[in-house]
Every structure is written in C-alpha cells, then in structure tokens.
Amino acid sequence: CLDALGVAGKGLRNLSQAFDNIERINAVSTGKGIGAGWLMAIGIRESGAGDPQFMREKGGQGVGWYQIDLGQHSKVTDSQAMNFEFATGFVSDLLNDAMAMVANYQTSDRKRLKNSGITNTFDQRVAMMFRIYNAGGVSQSMRDKLMKTNDPAVLDPGTARDNYVSNLVNLHVNCVAGAQVKGRGF
C-alpha cells in the first residue's frame, strides 16, 4: 500500500481521509452500482482524498475530490466539481459508461478473434475502466496485450504520468479493497 501511495504522491494521511469518507461515498455509489473502493482509489490519487493542497490541479482544469476536468466536462461547474456528493455521482456515472465500453470491447473482440468464449477477467475489466476514465479508449493492441499478460501497466501509456491504471489498480487492491461500511465489503 505504501508503494502505491508513493506512486500517487500521497501518504497514509490521505488514505485515512479516504476511509473517513467511505460512508459518504457509499451513500451515493451504491445506488449507481459502483464500488466505493474504486472511488476511494480515484479520490486518493486525484486529490489525496480531499487534501486542500490537491483540490485544484496546478496547471490544469481538474477540480475537487476526483479532479473533474472542467475542460473535458464543460457542463460541470466549479461548484459542482467541489461538491462531494455531486462529484461522486458524476464520477460513478462516468465509470458506469466506461464499463459499458468495456462490455462493447469484449463483444467486438469475440467477433474479431472468432472465439465466443473469450472473456476478460474482472480485474482486466476494472483496469480497462480506469483507463477509459482517465485517457479514453483502449486500443485493440492494448486489449490483446492485457489478455496475454494480465498486467494493467500495458494500459498506462497515454494516461496521467503514464502510470494511472497500474497505480489505481494497486491503490484499490493494496489499500482500499475490503473496506467496510456497516458490515459490507468493497
């Protein structure tokens, strides 16, 4: 976990802040079908889970807990991006859209490879979701490499600091997976 936090440029205080907000995250994300752990990992990476020094991207347009890029999402206002509940719902919707894209990729790959049984593992689908969330689509070449290697780092090129996907996977798996809210694991 410490290695993943270090890659993100964050520390244990930021991890603690994420856990301090797990019930708030869960209150919004549960109805949207998105795991609180995924949102916690994004929040840690993007803003140190609400650390004031990271709430506005230096030199960019990212704002709030999840650093919603107001240039990419022009219909979101600064105040909405800074509103935790709105931002959590907005990012949950983006992750749902990304997972729909992943399902479309799987259908396309089955046809392309003429193999109706081919499927990505859950972890591979999550890695692709993180890639889509940060940098857009996943090329056919990247999907093929991911299926062969099962290494999320093959999805990193072109993402923030060229390590976004592998860092989020490691933050999720090593820092927040298994987080509990009132007896429910994530």
Side-chain angles (χ1 to χ4, degrees), residues 45-46 69 72-73 94-95 98 101 105 127-139 142 155-165 168:
R45 164 78 184 222
E46 295 290 353
D69 187 322
Q72 293 292 315
H73 305 287
L94 292 176
L95 295 178
M101 283 180 70
Y105 287 150
M128 285 191 280
M129 174 194 69
F130 285 146
R131 160 81 192 189
I132 293 164
Y133 171 75
N134 181 255
V138 182
S139 71
M142 284 181 169
L155 302 178
D156 279 337
T159 64
R161 297 194 312 249
D162 288 324
N163 67 8
Y164 194 85
V165 175
L168 282 186

Side-chain angles (χ1 to χ4, degrees), residues 30-96:
T30 297
K32 295 188 174 275
I34 294 297
W38 297 344
L39 293 160
M40 289 170 70
I42 292 169
I44 291 167
R45 164 78 184 222
E46 295 290 353
S47 73
D51 188 324
Q53 69 176 322
F54 299 115
M55 291 295 279
R56 294 194 184 277
E57 181 182 20
K58 291 178 176 81
Q61 296 185 58
V63 176
W65 223 78
Y66 303 102
Q67 290 295 287
I68 296 171
D69 187 322
L70 301 182
Q72 293 292 315
H73 305 287
S74 59
K75 292 184 179 182
V76 177
T77 67
D78 186 89
S79 63
Q80 287 172 320
M82 291 295 285
N83 177 287
F84 184 83
E85 283 72 20
F86 175 88
T88 300
F90 183 78
V91 171
S92 294
D93 290 342
L94 292 176
L95 295 178
N96 273 321

Side-chain angles (χ1 to χ4, degrees), residues 10 19 26 44-45 65 72 74 104 110 114 117 126 135 153:
K10 306 303 186 290
F19 276 95
N26 189 55
I44 291 167
R45 164 78 184 222
W65 223 78
Q72 293 292 315
S74 59
N104 289 337
R110 285 179 183 146
K114 296 180 172 64
V126 169

Side-chain angles (χ1 to χ4, degrees), residues 38-39 68 97 99-100 115 118 122 126 141 151 156 173 176:
W38 297 344
L39 293 160
I68 296 171
D97 292 346
M99 280 304 245
N115 182 347
I118 197 166
F122 179 75
V126 169
S141 162
D151 180 2
D156 279 337
V173 170
V176 299

